[in-house]
Structures are given as C-alpha cells and as structure tokens.
Amino acid sequence: MGGVETTVVVVTWRGAGHITACLDAVAAQERPHRTLVIDNASDDGTAALLAAHPSRPRVVRLPRNTGYAGAMRIALSLVDTPLMAWLNDDAVPAPDWLAVLEDALGPAAAASARLDRPDGSIQSLGVRLTADGHGADATEAPAFGFCGGAALLRTNAVRTVGGVPGSFFCYYEDTDTAWRLRLAGHDIVTVPAARVTHGHGVSTRPGSPRFHRWNERNRLLTLLRCAPGAIALRELARFAAITAVLPLRRDVVDAPNFRVPLRCRVLAEVLVRLPGTLTARRAVTRRSTVPRRAVWRAWAR
C-alpha cells in the first residue's frame, strides 16, 4: 500500500507511567502512519512527556476527561486518513503490528489484533458476545467484534454507522460499534498475528465500583440500541429483578456489581438515557441491512 493509510489514535489519561513506551512502539512501526494523541486533561505530567517525545505526535488536549469513548468520538472527527487504529496508552505493539493489520483487513470494516498480558499469556483476540449480551474477551477466532485496545477500522465505515458512542465514557464503545458494523453488513476480521502487549486497566482498575457501573450500564445501553427488542427488554428486566431480590438473599457475591446502590444507579442512568437511546435505536435500524435477530443468532453464545 502506497502512502499513509492509517492514523494511529492513542487516548491517554494520567498516562505518565506508560505513554512513552506506547509512543516509542508506535514510532517503531514498519508501516508509515500518522499519530494522534487525545489527552483527556491529564494532570500528572503526561502533557510534558507528549511534547518532548521525539516522534512529535499530533496532540489534542481536552479541557476535561471525556473517557475513552468520548475521546475516540472526537478523534474520529479529526482523522483524515482512510483507516484509523485504536490503541490504548498502556499498549505496546510489535513493530509489524500495523502492517499486519493493514494487510489482513481486506474488504472488512475492522480488524482486531491479539492483546497479550505482560507475562505473554493471551488476553484478547477481540470481543465475543455472550448469551446474556455481555461483550467479553474472545480468545478464539473468529471474534464477534474488535477489542478497542488495539484495532484497525475503516474511518468512513465507522462514520456511516453513527460513529463512536461518546456518552458511554468508558467500556462497550467497541462492542456497540462492532454491533452496528455487523448490522450494516460489514465484516470484522480477527488477526492473531498482529501482536500487542497490554497492561490492561491501568487507568480504570477493573473490578472497581466505577468499572462495574460503566460495564453494567453500557451493556444494557448497547443491547437497547443494537440487539433484538425481546433480548434487550429481557436483559433490562432481568437486571432490575435481580436488583430487587438482592436484599432478600444471604448468599450474595461480594462484588460491586451485586451491591444494590450501584445497581440502582445503573438503572437510573439507563432510564435517564432511554429517550436518546431509543432515538439511536431507530437510527441504527435505518442504517441496517442485516436483521438484528440474524446477528444475534450468528454470534451470541
């Protein structure tokens, strides 16, 4: 492929401890590219490290933290190359990562890389869709969707299916985007040869109350936007029913997502967003060429 096809987008927030290693690896890519860093109002010295990095990436510093989803939505409006790569700031791609993804993309709208933990074990090849609508790490190919930690997407394909759900703040922005690409008839390929070492959750602390709040809320919003209506309503009702009976049970799992106040907050946030979510659902329907039920039957496990 001649010329620059891809803009590598790195979203960072308080990334002083790892952003340099990420940008060093991006700069070492074998394939020509542009680099765009969206800084979510970091206050830990990240800005100085970005300004001093020898690769001289384009940096857009936001006035407040918009989360990964919000920053990616802004990045999508700035990218002027046919392809855009999503890359976490705690990810260190192999030198051939981008070249392998570009060569493997073919006619697909997105390609998901292999993310490995620092010990070398596999973390993710993409996103799989569970029987209750969770987007979970896939460790076998093919995957339903791409993992936003390291993926390559066709810029215009993402724009034409409605862009990135910036209001999600964090988590499920990749699963939701993959849903809409599938519904619009696009393919998503899994590329295990494109390797990335990933710190995973350095900024968001998986298992924390905030993690569970975003995770549970955005799963329900994604289903309401993209899944068959019966599935979306079933999972929303199930979440509410479990929340209602938790105070009556003694064998409750000691985890934030089984704490009634957090679950009530999730339900409240979903209800507040319901009018806008239903408007988004109608827009997804207008752009779809594949029935929701067909995508669900093909990928939900």
Side-chain angles (χ1 to χ4, degrees):
M1 301 171 83
V4 176
E5 294 285 319
T6 302
T7 298
V8 178
V9 179
V10 179
V11 174
T12 190
W13 177 69
R14 296 179 180 175
H18 45 267
I19 190 64
T20 298
C22 175
L23 291 181
D24 286 349
V26 171
Q29 291 301 299
E30 299 170 357
R31 191 64 55 87
H33 62 279
R34 298 173 187 170
T35 305
L36 169 63
V37 180
I38 307 294
D39 181 3
N40 262 323
S42 299
D43 55 5
D44 64 341
T46 295
L49 292 173
L50 294 174
H53 198 271
S55 68
R56 299 178 63 84
R58 179 186 179 187
V59 178
V60 175
R61 180 173 170 82
L62 304 181
R64 62 182 179 85
N65 184 4
T66 63
Y68 193 75
M72 272 299 174
R73 186 170 184 84
I74 292 169
L76 182 62
S77 70
L78 300 174
V79 170
D80 59 3
T81 52
L83 307 175
M84 67 181 298
W86 295 16
L87 188 67
N88 281 5
D89 65 348
D90 57 355
V92 178
D96 64 349
W97 165 74
L98 182 56
V100 171
L101 285 178
E102 285 188 353
D103 293 344
L105 184 62
S112 190
R114 169 176 171 150
L115 280 76
D116 289 331
R117 300 181 183 88
D119 65 5
S121 63
I122 184 170
Q123 176 202 327
S124 176
L125 290 176
V127 172
R128 61 185 175 89
L129 192 61
T130 71
D132 56 1
H134 279 93
D137 284 327
T139 55
E140 296 181 357
F144 164 73
F146 61 92
C147 174
L152 183 68
L153 297 91
R154 294 196 181 278
T155 308
N156 282 339
V158 179
R159 287 173 177 156
T160 57
V161 298
V164 183
S167 63
F168 280 20
F169 191 82
C170 196
Y171 297 115
Y172 275 84
E173 64 280 336
D174 50 5
T175 305
D176 183 277
T177 302
W179 253 111
R180 289 178 285 116
L181 288 171
R182 293 278 187 194
L183 289 169
H186 293 291
D187 193 16
I188 297 168
V189 295
T190 310
V191 190
R195 305 284 290 264
V196 176
T197 300
H198 186 215
H200 185 52
V202 171
S203 299
T204 56
R205 295 193 301 118
S208 68
R210 285 195 306 174
F211 166 86
H212 283 292
R213 172 189 154 213
W214 295 328
N215 210 49
E216 297 286 1
R217 181 194 70 191
N218 293 346
R219 173 181 72 100
L220 294 173
L221 292 175
T222 295
L223 292 174
L224 288 166
R225 286 158 54 95
C226 301
I231 300 298
L233 291 175
R234 181 194 74 188
E235 290 305 315
L236 180 58
R238 183 181 177 209
F239 187 91
I242 291 174
T243 302
V245 302
L246 278 175
L248 307 176
R249 299 184 58 176
R250 296 182 179 179
D251 57 341
V252 177
V253 176
D254 185 19
N257 58 326
F258 282 93
R259 294 172 188 165
V260 173
L262 184 145
R263 295 177 70 89
C264 287
R265 181 171 183 180
V266 166
L267 286 170
E269 291 183 354
V270 170
L271 290 175
V272 167
R273 289 165 171 78
L274 192 57
T277 299
L278 294 179
T279 298
R281 181 181 178 87
R282 290 191 288 270
V284 171
T285 300
R286 289 195 298 270
R287 291 187 291 260
S288 295
T289 61
V290 179
R292 286 182 166 89
R293 179 67 62 178
V295 174
W296 181 261
R297 286 175 175 167
W299 293 102
R301 300 287 185 269

